[in-house]
């Protein structure tokens, strides 16, 4: 095994207080593209950049266009957990991993069996009527044509955090507590540029900060171990969990 992978394995084997912080790269191996990396072809279908469409004011003003983008580019109902999700669920089951903190909204960690999942940006699986508060699942939203409506006539809003909206404070506080108390902090699939979530890692006080990302991140110099390989491959191998 690669020397760096072996180092990670040793830290995982020796710890019962691991916390994982993940970004879009964790889901790309399940076939879910980062919606920020919209390619030219897709760009031609939309008059606005993704950051504009996925904003609160755009959602309020142009709900049809918002839901066209949302359903086309942010919902992937056929996606299944990859080796990274499975490895993390396995470590939690062994009592070694305390929590998964994620910027992803796809629910794949829970599908893999993880229980303590802090979804900083919400989830596509929780949708609520903006008029009466009724809950709707993802299936209902997908099956509605265009803008999804409640039986009361209100618009159903996806339970995801849009641009211009704040993160849920309770979730954020829990994430801070887990990171502050973590022995090993593994960060994967993010280039750590999306704030305020990226600022969370500053709460870590230990000396086993691991960054796993295909490309360089803005925090590489801060890390105790940097692994530039695919996260599913790394976590799957060091935990012995197959994808
Ligand atoms: Zn309603």
């Amino acid at each position: 095994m690669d020397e760096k992978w072996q180092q990670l394995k040793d830290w995982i084997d020796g710890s019962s207080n691991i916390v994982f912080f993940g970004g879009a790269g964790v889901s790309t191996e399940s076939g879910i593209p980062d919606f920020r990396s919209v390619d030219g072809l897709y760009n031609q279908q939309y008059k606005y950049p993704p950051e504009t469409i996925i904003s609160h004011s755009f959602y309020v003003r142009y709900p049809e266009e918002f839901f066209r983008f949302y359903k086309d580019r942010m919902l992937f109902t056929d996606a299944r957990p990859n080796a990274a999700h499975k490895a993390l669920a396995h470590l939690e089951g062994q009592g070694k991993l305390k929590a998964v903190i994620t910027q992803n909204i796809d629910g794949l960690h829970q599908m893999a069996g993880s229980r303590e999942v802090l979804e900083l940006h919400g989830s596509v699986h929780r949708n609520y009527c903006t008029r009466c508060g009724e809950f709707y699942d993802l299936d209902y939203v997908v099956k509605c044509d265009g803008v999804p409506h409640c039986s009361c006539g209100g618009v159903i809003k996806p339970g995801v955090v849009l641009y211009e909206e704040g993160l849920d404070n309770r979730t954020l506080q829990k994430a801070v507590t887990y990171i502050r108390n973590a022995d090993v902090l593994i960060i994967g699939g993010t280039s750590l540029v999306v704030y305020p979530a990226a600022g969370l890692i500053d709460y870590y006080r230990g000396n086993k900060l691991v960054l796993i990302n295909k490309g360089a991140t803005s925090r590489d110099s801060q890390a105790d171990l940097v692994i530039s390989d695919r996260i599913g491959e790394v976590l799957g191998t060091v935990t012995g969990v197959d994808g």
Side-chain angles (χ1 to χ4, degrees):
M1 193 184 290
D2 175 274
E3 198 177 303
K4 290 180 169 180
W5 293 29
Q6 185 62 50
Q7 176 68 81
L8 174 60
K9 185 178 186 309
D10 291 345
W11 285 351
I12 288 175
D13 288 348
S15 179
S16 57
N17 187 358
I18 303 164
V19 170
F20 179 81
F21 180 98
V26 175
S27 291
T28 50
E29 289 174 40
S30 289
I32 299 179
D34 184 351
F35 70 83
R36 288 176 202 86
S37 63
V38 177
D39 60 42
L41 191 68
Y42 275 107
N43 255 329
Q44 291 169 16
Q45 293 183 27
Y46 297 95
K47 281 182 277 182
Y48 307 90
E51 286 80 359
T52 301
I53 300 175
I54 305 302
S55 69
H56 184 82
S57 50
F58 192 94
Y59 155 81
V60 170
R61 196 159 174 200
Y62 307 106
E64 290 84 6
E65 186 70 357
F66 170 88
F67 277 103
R68 189 164 78 90
F69 181 91
Y70 177 74
K71 290 181 179 184
D72 186 33
R73 300 294 296 158
M74 299 178 72
L75 298 182
F76 298 87
T77 51
D78 294 334
R80 293 293 174 266
N82 62 55
H85 300 104
K86 291 174 187 172
L88 293 164
H90 176 71
L91 290 175
E92 184 182 17
Q94 287 183 313
K96 301 178 75 61
L97 182 127
K98 296 293 183 199
V100 168
I101 302 162
T102 182
Q103 296 174 289
N104 297 333
I105 55 176
D106 49 48
L108 290 182
H109 285 293
Q110 290 92 332
M111 202 187 286
S114 284
R115 277 174 295 186
E116 185 67 347
V117 182
L118 305 181
E119 298 169 305
L120 296 176
H121 295 167
S123 171
V124 299
H125 295 281
R126 294 188 294 270
N127 308 282
Y128 296 94
C129 172
T130 50
R131 188 183 291 171
C132 75
E134 178 74 17
F135 170 88
Y136 287 91
D137 64 13
L138 176 58
D139 195 47
Y140 185 90
V141 172
V142 169
K143 282 179 179 157
C144 284
D145 275 335
V147 180
H149 284 91
C150 177
S151 51
C152 83
V155 172
I156 298 169
K157 184 177 183 294
V160 302
V161 180
L162 306 178
Y163 287 97
E164 305 165 354
E165 294 178 344
L167 304 193
D168 177 64
N169 214 35
R170 224 166 61 91
T171 307
L172 210 48
Q173 280 310 313
K174 277 179 88 174
V176 166
T177 302
Y178 276 120
I179 289 174
R180 189 181 273 151
N181 297 323
D183 168 30
V184 179
L185 176 61
I186 303 173
I187 300 173
T190 169
S191 50
L192 289 170
V193 289
V194 182
Y195 277 82
L200 277 173
I201 75 163
D202 293 332
Y203 289 97
Y204 178 62
R205 299 180 296 188
N207 58 0
K208 298 185 187 78
L209 175 60
V210 185
L211 289 184
I212 308 172
N213 198 51
K214 224 20 203 136
T217 82
S218 58
R219 303 299 189 93
D220 281 3
S221 60
Q222 239 176 290
D224 300 295
L225 181 62
V226 178
I227 300 177
S228 305
D229 295 300
R230 294 173 59 215
I231 186 150
E233 209 182 331
V234 177
L235 290 181
T237 302
V238 301
T239 61
V241 172
D242 286 329

